[in-house]
Amino acid sequence: MTIRKATPEAIAEASRILLSGGLVSFPTETVYGLGAVATNTDAVSKIFSIKGRPSINPLIVHVGSADWVSQFAETDDRYEKLARTLWPGPISFVVKLKPDNTISKLVTAGLNTVAVRHPRGAIANELLTTVKTPLAAPSANKSGAVSPTNASHVAESLDGEIDMILDGGNCEVGLESTVLDISSNGPAVILRPGAVTQESLTGIIGPVLQDDASPDLPKSPGQMLSHYAPSLPVRLNALDQEQGEALLGFGSLEGATLNLSPSGNLSEAATNLFRMLRELDSPNKYRAIAVASIPNTGIGIAINDRLKKAARQ
Ligand code: TXA
Ligand code: MG
């Protein structure tokens, strides 16, 4: 078993594994990542093969502080302002690479931009400050599947294929980071909604666009590929349970098999979403998962984005 409780000794061991080209899954405040040293092409290539991830879908580079980014990417005033206000936290920024950078080309899928993130989770930060070098880390699941929010989710799909899983319990946010493209001179564009919302970004830098304006031309190369999908069919905006369905409720909905948040709290629903989808994804017990309607405000926008992808809509 490769799961280790994230003690200082385990983090030191994880750091040695990473620096010698291995892969370690570690908790962040959003979901568990599958990390490799971002400058090590051999290590990064293992991420793609283990996940079954298409090579056109670039990875997020995780840093231990905002000033690491200037080693490999352009950092303008808008970046500085956003990073100062929102990091460490659940948002990634797409910025321009510097021409002489040493980040593996596999990480960025050969683009001239890179997504960067300074996570808030204590274990992720201890790991980053111990390895002292940026880590490329997608969510620690097989490509297309639901992201892991605890160590056993990671083990269910990747145990035996990676060198270590650092166990830090359940992730606080439960949904992947907001991805914000600030690589052009025009308005910033949200490529993936997350816990940091359009309203809060607008409050910091003025008008921010949501990428769904042109769904045929996804700016995030992975957007059209990611499904976040359980194996069972998912039916959205359910008011009741049909024959053979599990019902994932929200708020006061009666008769739910599981409820994302009985009190109707959207942050609690986000934290529970992926764990509960996994729990209900049981073809032996159910033929489909019906999900109650979720208010489309605040982090509800990100929840509905993941649910639509889970329902393959
Ligand atoms: O919360 C998170 O972001 C988690 C944790 C582990 O930090 N990571 C994560 O990584 O969700 P992943 O690989 O599952 O999602 C990365 C997303 C993809 O949609 C990818 O297309 C986009 O970021 N992305 C990465 N680099 C990009 C770039 N240069 N331009 C546009 N989109 C990019
Ligand atoms: Mg992912």
Side-chain angles (χ1 to χ4, degrees):
M1 194 55 132
T2 52
I3 297 187
R4 292 267 307 267
K5 189 163 178 283
T7 59
E9 295 72 33
I11 291 171
E13 173 68 10
S15 167
R16 284 191 290 274
I17 291 171
L18 288 164
L19 291 171
S20 60
L23 302 191
V24 173
S25 175
F26 61 93
T28 80
E29 78 280 27
T30 58
V31 300
Y32 275 66
L34 178 58
V37 167
T39 51
N40 184 331
T41 293
D42 286 343
V44 172
S45 77
K46 285 192 271 178
I47 290 183
F48 282 89
S49 58
I50 288 170
K51 277 183 62 89
R53 183 173 176 117
S55 60
I56 57 161
N57 191 5
L59 308 179
I60 295 172
V61 171
H62 294 66
V63 293
S65 80
D67 54 23
W68 288 19
V69 172
S70 60
Q71 294 161 12
F72 57 89
E74 308 286 353
T75 52
D76 59 8
D77 289 349
R78 186 164 57 170
Y79 163 81
E80 296 291 349
K81 191 169 187 188
L82 286 163
R84 205 170 46 239
T85 317
L86 297 168
W87 273 0
I91 184 161
S92 303
F93 304 116
V94 175
V95 290
K96 273 198 209 96
L97 275 168
K98 281 186 172 166
D100 56 350
N101 76 84
T102 58
I103 300 292
S104 169
K105 297 230 172 337
L106 283 184
V107 169
T108 55
L111 299 170
N112 58 6
T113 57
V114 60
V116 291
R117 176 160 114 82
H118 179 200
R120 181 167 70 204
I123 295 161
N125 275 288
E126 272 173 58
L127 184 63
L128 283 159
T129 51
T130 310
V131 291
K132 298 189 182 63
T133 187
L135 295 177
S139 50
N141 51 277
K142 296 281 182 185
S143 187
V146 176
S147 292
T149 56
N150 65 40
S152 35
H153 295 165
V154 180
E156 278 160 24
S157 62
L158 303 179
D159 197 22
E161 298 189 79
I162 62 179
D163 299 294
M164 190 196 273
I165 300 167
L166 280 175
D167 186 352
N170 290 317
C171 298
E172 173 202 339
V173 175
L175 293 181
E176 305 84 350
S177 62
T178 304
V179 177
L180 184 72
D181 187 352
I182 51 168
S183 65
S184 78
N185 295 327
V189 182
I190 297 174
L191 301 180
R192 179 175 71 183
V196 179
T197 60
Q198 189 173 17
E199 298 98 287
S200 57
L201 291 167
T202 304
I204 301 166
I205 52 166
V208 170
L209 306 177
Q210 184 83 49
D211 192 41
D212 54 16
S214 56
D216 296 338
L217 290 173
K219 289 197 192 62
S220 216
Q223 260 177 349
M224 73 288 208
L225 302 162
S226 40
H227 290 302
Y228 306 92
S231 62
L232 287 177
V234 173
R235 181 169 71 87
L236 303 181
N237 301 317
L239 296 171
D240 53 18
Q241 202 165 10
E242 291 174 4
Q243 184 75 38
E245 280 183 339
L247 179 60
L248 183 55
F250 177 80
S252 56
L253 185 74
E254 303 239 329
T257 319
L258 292 174
N259 195 316
L260 290 166
S261 171
S263 67
N265 177 316
L266 286 169
S267 297
E268 183 185 24
T271 306
N272 288 333
L273 178 68
F274 289 155
R275 181 174 54 78
M276 290 186 173
L277 278 178
R278 278 171 186 265
E279 216 169 307
L280 298 179
D281 191 15
S282 172
N284 298 332
K285 280 200 200 144
Y286 310 110
R287 63 163 184 82
I289 305 170
V291 187
S293 105
I294 308 291
N296 207 36
T297 57
I299 197 173
I301 293 171
I303 295 175
N304 284 319
D305 169 75
R306 305 310 189 273
L307 282 173
K308 270 188 223 142
K309 286 173 176 152
R312 299 170 200 274
Q313 285 180 0

